Amino acid sequence: MSDMIMVKQKLVDLLKQAAVKAQESGKLPSLSLPDVVVEHPQKPEHGDYASSLPLKLARSTGLSPLAIASSIAEFIAPTPEIAHVAAAPPGFINFTLKSDWLTQQVSYILSAADSYGNIDMGQGSRVQIEFVSVNPTGPLHVGHGRGAILGSALANVLTAAGFSVEKEYYINDAGSQIDAFGRSLYARYQQSLGTPAEMPSEGYFGNYMVELAKELIAEEGDRFLALPEPEATSQLKQIGLKKIMSQIKSDLELLGVSFDNWFSERSLYDNGGFKKAMSPLHQGGYLVEKESATWFVSTALGEDKDNVVVRSDGSPTYFAADIAYHYNKFVERKFDQVINIWGADHQGHVSRMKAVVGALGINPERLKIIISQMVTLRRGGEPVRISKRSGELIILREVVEEVGADACRFFFLARSADSQMDFDLELAKRESADNPVYYVQYAYARIASILRLARQRQIDYHDGDVAKLSSEPELTLIRKMLLLPEVVESIAHMLEPHHLAYYAQELATVFHSFYKQCRVISEEDEVMTKARLKLVVAARLVLAKTLHLMGMTVPERM
RNA sequence: GCGCCUAUAGCUCAGCGGACAGAGCAUCGGUCUUCGGAACCGAGGGUCGUGGGUUCGAAUCCCUCUAGGCGCGCCA
């Protein structure tokens, strides 16, 4: 529960009520109201909130927008938050918040503490967010890092928005690519032991496979050479998978990304989940036999082609597994909402996945798929090929170790998922001092430093009077702090965590500006010192919350 | 050929139906006796890729075209 975010909602309600009263009084014709939208005006002189409702009503009523604005404004009931309401040309209604209400919010933030910014939008409904889910056939690369950061930040925000969130990694431990991985590993194993062996054409040629083979030799010796090939391949595959997975796990940990659940694709076949999921599709007539394979007739649902579910050799496709997996998410585990974060190369699967979810009798609206566009990696302006199969791949770990997890997180979060981005390692290192990460974290370190001084001087400010905060830099800072719940709400609604990075930067700017203009600890003015210390503590809370939502650290010093 | 994403200030990007289009970096010019200058203040810089349309109102919605990226397997 948050008073702040309620202000916006409260204004919407006030506007609706005022419009109805205006209608009852005859000043407005009785028509059904459009959606009432309240937003933040760009210009401060237009107040804290504004609505263009009168402009929207102008056409249907035939009245001038400004006249409508005046009529409605007249009926806005007084509230403790609002200083004044104004009708402004061409037809806006502007609201300005009361200064004393604003300053009072500092106390509110202090009492809310870590929970400030949390809202009850989700009301505990269950959301599963599945991300990364990279095939365990090689290390993570930078693009995977983008999805990882996106997913974990989004999970943080959704949690703050009152959803019950579960983060999941889907392990593709079945299928032909995993078999190719096993055969590749076997070949490298043999080669390392001096036995000539040929890599499969669909194999994994990265150097990490050679290293993996050597590691296995060091740990297990040459005992697999004695086994028949299928047995050796199968055993090596299992051991290799485990090793790669633990590598992936530790790479993610380095980035500060964790999961609640690691879901094995193979388990869908082992426990009958696959068969269960197919049955509603059979019953719905969505599966047909064609060319001795089983197809999902997505064309019947408006797709441009059908998709094979079971191959002519009887083995299920990746798509089939995905169907079973989503059946498991929605039907077995009963998530209210499922969010998948996929790379741009999976974009073509979005519509058929939604189609199949619909065919399973689940409202496709409950499945949200976020596509994160490609990251192209550069070094000194030169593009670096990112391919699991090239020997020269730049792995995520390397990047994180070079620029740091915080910088990675901020950088990846600072742009929307659907824009592709270039990431130049040289640039990131060379310009690290200008990195916005430091700007934002510096604001936090400054706050920490002020509070250290206060502690050192043993200033007791618990009785500080926030009502003394009245200057423009102070109120500007408070206004910005009050936006956090709205940012959380907006991100939870749009599933666009990049707004966090912008908000963090704005908050830091406003704080730096306040700091420059308002001396906090002053020997002459004890009253002001105490009031401002309260403000600073509140600012620390808000900044820390923002950075934590981004998954970043808060440095006491830097 | 079809589908998805992108095109906004010199650069990197926000804004996605409302009031003169914003930020960071870069450029130029200012601010330092006290809490951390990794700071602050200010200036210049944009016919929002093109051409249509819808609307009282479009960077924002629809269509055309152009350019770039990614997909379109009985791979995953």
Side-chain angles (χ1 to χ4, degrees), chain A residues 39 100 121 129 163 251 273 291 379 546:
Chain A
E39 61 199 347
D100 61 350
M121 174 183 178
I129 171 161
F163 291 90
D251 287 359
E291 297 153 24
R379 200 178 270 284
T546 305

Side-chain angles (χ1 to χ4, degrees), chain A residues 143-163:
Chain A
H144 300 138
R146 184 180 196 181
I149 291 164
L150 211 57
S152 68
L154 193 54
N156 292 343
V157 173
L158 288 170
T159 302
F163 291 90

Side-chain angles (χ1 to χ4, degrees), chain A residues 409-464:
Chain A
R409 287 201 151 248
F410 193 96
F411 190 82
F412 282 123
L413 278 175
R415 56 215 66 212
S416 79
D418 39 35
S419 300
Q420 55 194 86
M421 57 185 276
D422 278 356
F423 188 38
D424 194 316
L425 291 168
E426 291 300 322
L427 210 66
K429 275 194 294 186
R430 176 154 45 81
E431 291 192 348
S432 62
D434 297 325
N435 198 309
V437 187
Y438 298 103
Y439 179 81
V440 174
Q441 290 186 325
Y442 180 59
Y444 187 89
R446 260 188 162 169
I447 290 172
S449 165
I450 295 170
L451 297 177
R452 272 196 299 273
L453 183 67
R455 210 175 308 128
Q456 188 188 317
R457 298 203 183 162
Q458 300 184 311
I459 303 171
D460 176 9
Y461 50 89
H462 80 275
D463 60 344

Side-chain angles (χ1 to χ4, degrees), chain A residues 278-279 281-282 284-289 294-297 307 309 323:
Chain A
M278 290 302 130
S279 111
L281 293 185
H282 265 299
Y286 293 106
L287 298 178
V288 299
E289 301 294 324
T294 307
W295 299 69
F296 173 66
V297 286
N307 299 97
V309 175
I323 294 171

Side-chain angles (χ1 to χ4, degrees), chain A residues 148-208:
Chain A
I149 291 164
L150 211 57
S152 68
L154 193 54
N156 292 343
V157 173
L158 288 170
T159 302
F163 291 90
S164 165
V165 180
E166 206 167 293
K167 294 176 287 182
E168 183 154 299
Y169 188 118
Y170 180 55
I171 307 169
N172 302 116
D173 51 5
S176 57
Q177 292 200 356
I178 292 300
D179 290 338
F181 168 80
R183 279 180 279 124
S184 302
L185 187 56
Y186 183 50
R188 290 305 191 206
Y189 177 82
Q190 288 171 301
Q191 289 167 354
S192 294
L193 288 167
T195 308
E198 205 168 311
M199 285 287 284
S201 58
E202 287 296 305
Y204 293 88
F205 289 87
N207 284 331
Y208 65 90

